[in-house]
Amino acid sequence: MNKLKSGFGAIGRFFADFGHAIADGDIFVKLSLVWFGAGYLGRKQYIKAIIMTALEALIIAYTVLVGIPYISDFGTLGTVQQESVFNPVTMKNEFNDYDNSFMILLFSVITLVVWAFTIYIWMYNVKNVYRLQKDQEHGKHVNNFREDLNDYINQKFYIVLLALPIAGVVIFTVVPLIIMIFVAFTNYDQNHMPPSALFDWVGLDNFINLFGGGGMTVSFGYAFVRVLGWTLVWSFFATLTTYFGGILMALLVNGKTTMWKPMWRVLFMITIAVPQFVSLLLVRNFFADNGIMNTILQNIGLTGFLQDIGLISGNYIPFLTAPGWAHVMIIIINIWIGVPYQMLIANGVLMNIPSEQLESASIDGANSWQTFWNITMPYVFSVTGPALVTDFVKNINNFNVIYLLTSNVYTTTDQAMANSQAKETDLLVTWLFTLTQDYYNYKMAATIGIVIFVICAVFTLVAFNRVVARTGEGDFA
């Protein structure tokens, strides 16, 4: 709450300073409201005046030539359908001047971002010009362009360093995220695919369908509940099993009685070095219905025993092809994939536990379990708590393990799931991938993407503020 108040306070001060600049500024400050370079021209900062004037001219040109034509169609996302019209002059069929709904949406979002950037630059520019006025009134030196450059290279170099990453975040993260949010409120799918067809706004229909609102896509609500449930179960067990498995493995490797410790660490490094897609595809073949594991289990009679007690109905164990079996196997296989990473992390943490605390516990008569639970585990958690939160969010979006183990292997027999292009082993992210790549159902994929974002954002905020912040890190300083 304090950080939230601080953020809103900073925004309030920004607007208040802008208001003071307009109210108390001289003629050059007021002219800056319509001409970005006026204030710098009045302070004899001619190069800055030229740069700001050129920037304003570029923004105006973009707005007139690109922004307004697309923004004017933003409310309808286009009305002119693509048609092939015979041209008697060229004696050929030619396309008419049709609308492209996606291009309208894309350039409208870009235009809104450009306008938001312009408003910020406009307000910041007025504030900056007013600051120059106050410096001049108080007899302070007003920098020339070369001195400003030196300031940005020396005192304000962090601004230069952050400019490119911020621009990258806006272009490659913020703009696509805004477009995805807007697509969730349209009927953009394989029946409304630009440029041959238009799509339109549908309001909250996609969210109603996703949460079981009825209509032709009632099965989406049915599939969503099951896929979301499995996603959360998977994330919980995949995170905890690899986390505690890695810690226990690190304790074993670092144990006083363990021999050849460097060898074990190298072996785990080799396991990590093998690309995941190679390991997972190989394991998938091992546990296939006609794979080597089923062959071995048939030969030793375990398959027949499971048939006799009613756990399986066929002459093989459906490790990756039946609900329940597939869920358990995916979690077990992920332990084999994820434990080496966590072991190496925990290994480094365990080596830095204060030795005097362990010695004090031993002198006080604490056994191995008490030492682990009261000293080792709190220390490890204080260091790796943020990583634990990150791992949970990562597992919500763990595409590789689920897709590589079940793609073209698991086929759902639930007709309601199949109607929504989902499977019992799907996570929300793999379901989203199938909807976009195989069925071009961008509207529902965007809706699911928003749900994933909300889940990850809420969990991260709660975990970092209520769990990670209270791990007792200061107790080991």
Side-chain angles (χ1 to χ4, degrees):
M1 288 299 296
N2 291 333
K3 293 179 181 178
L4 201 60
K5 290 179 182 178
S6 177
F8 281 114
I11 295 173
R13 287 191 296 274
F14 181 84
F15 281 97
D17 292 343
F18 175 71
H20 289 312
I22 295 176
D24 302 332
D26 60 12
I27 184 62
F28 294 108
V29 174
K30 290 178 170 60
L31 278 176
S32 296
L33 292 170
V34 293
W35 175 18
F36 286 4
Y40 300 109
L41 186 64
R43 315 296 172 206
K44 298 181 180 180
Q45 292 187 323
Y46 301 116
I47 297 179
K48 261 191 175 182
I50 293 173
I51 292 174
M52 295 305 296
T53 301
L55 176 62
E56 184 178 10
L58 285 173
I59 293 172
I60 293 173
Y62 172 83
T63 298
V64 173
L65 298 177
V66 180
I68 293 177
Y70 280 106
I71 283 287
S72 61
D73 291 329
F74 184 63
T76 61
L77 294 176
T79 56
V80 182
Q81 188 82 21
Q82 184 188 76
E83 294 180 356
S84 180
V85 181
F86 180 75
N87 189 335
V89 177
T90 61
M91 302 298 291
K92 294 180 180 179
N93 287 327
E94 298 177 355
F95 287 117
N96 61 334
D97 187 15
Y98 59 90
D99 291 329
N100 187 318
S101 295
F102 186 78
M103 297 301 292
I104 292 172
L105 178 60
L106 173 63
F107 280 99
S108 294
V109 169
I110 292 175
T111 300
L112 293 174
V113 172
V114 169
W115 287 354
F117 170 77
T118 302
I119 291 172
Y120 173 78
I121 292 296
W122 173 64
M123 297 177 69
Y124 179 82
N125 183 63
V126 171
K127 283 179 52 184
N128 195 47
V129 171
Y130 178 66
R131 180 183 60 79
L132 294 177
Q133 173 194 325
K134 300 299 289 184
D135 288 346
Q136 199 172 50
E137 290 174 353
H138 290 86
K140 295 181 180 179
H141 175 69
V142 176
N143 288 351
N144 56 35
F145 185 71
R146 179 175 294 178
E147 289 171 334
D148 279 334
L149 282 181
N150 288 332
D151 281 347
Y152 280 106
I153 293 174
N154 297 305
Q155 286 84 6
K156 300 179 181 178
F157 190 61
Y158 66 93
I159 297 177
V160 179
L161 290 177
L162 289 175
L164 188 60
I166 290 174
V169 168
V170 171
I171 295 172
F172 298 110
T173 301
V174 175
V175 171
L177 183 61
I178 296 174
I179 292 173
M180 181 192 74
I181 292 172
F182 280 132
V183 167
F185 296 92
T186 69
N187 59 352
Y188 186 14
D189 57 20
Q190 59 185 344
N191 297 321
H192 305 87
M193 186 71 64
S196 59
L198 300 171
F199 59 81
D200 199 2
W201 301 108
V202 295
L204 296 173
D205 288 358
N206 297 325
F207 291 91
I208 294 172
N209 291 332
L210 184 63
F211 295 109
M216 293 297 291
T217 55
V218 65
S219 59
F220 268 99
Y222 174 87
F224 172 72
V225 172
R226 284 152 182 78
V227 174
L228 175 62
W230 163 236
T231 299
L232 296 177
V233 169
W234 148 260
S235 301
F236 177 79
F237 283 105
T239 302
L240 290 188
T241 53
T242 56
Y243 180 75
F244 287 106
I247 293 174
L248 294 175
M249 192 64 66
L251 288 171
L252 289 174
V253 171
N254 287 291
K256 294 181 179 180
T257 59
T258 303
M259 301 176 62
W260 308 309
K261 295 179 183 179
M263 181 193 72
W264 296 116
R265 294 190 186 108
V266 170
L267 287 176
F268 279 108
M269 285 293 294
I270 294 173
T271 304
I272 296 173
V274 177
Q276 261 195 18
F277 78 91
V278 174
S279 301
L280 292 173
L281 290 178
L282 188 62
V283 172
R284 186 180 76 176
N285 291 334
F286 283 168
F287 289 96
D289 292 345
N290 57 351
I292 187 173
M293 188 58 65
N294 264 309
T295 302
I296 294 172
L297 295 179
Q298 284 178 354
N299 292 337
I300 65 175
L302 181 59
T303 303
F305 172 74
L306 294 177
Q307 283 179 312
D308 294 338
I309 64 176
L311 286 181
I312 60 175
S313 57
N315 58 353
Y316 58 85
I317 300 175
F319 288 113
L320 296 172
T321 55
W325 283 98
H327 292 149
V328 173
M329 283 305 304
I330 289 170
I331 293 173
I332 292 174
I333 293 170
N334 183 71
I335 294 173
W336 173 66
I337 293 292
V339 161
Y341 291 95
Q342 294 295 342
M343 189 217 71
L344 291 177
I345 294 171
N347 189 61
V349 176
L350 291 172
M351 289 181 176
N352 290 283
I353 295 179
S355 58
E356 60 271 14
Q357 293 194 11
L358 298 175
E359 292 172 0
S360 297
S362 178
I363 294 172
D364 291 340
N367 57 34
S368 299
W369 170 252
Q370 290 171 329
T371 302
F372 169 78
W373 190 251
N374 294 291
I375 296 178
T376 304
M377 196 59 216
Y379 183 86
V380 172
F381 188 60
S382 71
V383 177
T384 61
L388 185 63
V389 175
T390 304
D391 284 343
F392 184 86
V393 175
K394 181 189 71 175
N395 282 319
I396 289 177
N397 296 290
N398 196 330
F399 179 85
N400 286 350
V401 173
I402 303 298
Y403 185 80
L404 292 174
L405 288 178
T406 63
S407 178
N408 300 321
V409 173
Y410 185 94
T411 302
T412 182
T413 57
D414 189 328
Q415 189 58 46
M417 295 286 284
N419 288 342
S420 301
Q421 296 85 45
K423 299 178 294 188
E424 288 87 348
T425 56
D426 271 331
L427 303 182
L428 289 173
V429 67
T430 56
W431 188 20
L432 183 156
F433 178 81
T434 301
L435 287 172
T436 54
Q437 296 300 309
D438 297 340
Y439 297 95
Y440 308 105
N441 195 344
Y442 297 105
K443 61 181 184 182
M444 296 307 298
T447 307
I448 295 170
I450 292 175
V451 172
I452 295 173
F453 173 78
V454 170
I455 292 173
C456 294
V458 170
F459 173 79
T460 302
L461 288 173
V462 172
F464 271 111
N465 285 283
R466 296 193 178 184
V467 178
V468 178
R470 300 178 183 177
T471 53
E473 184 176 356
D475 296 340
F476 301 96

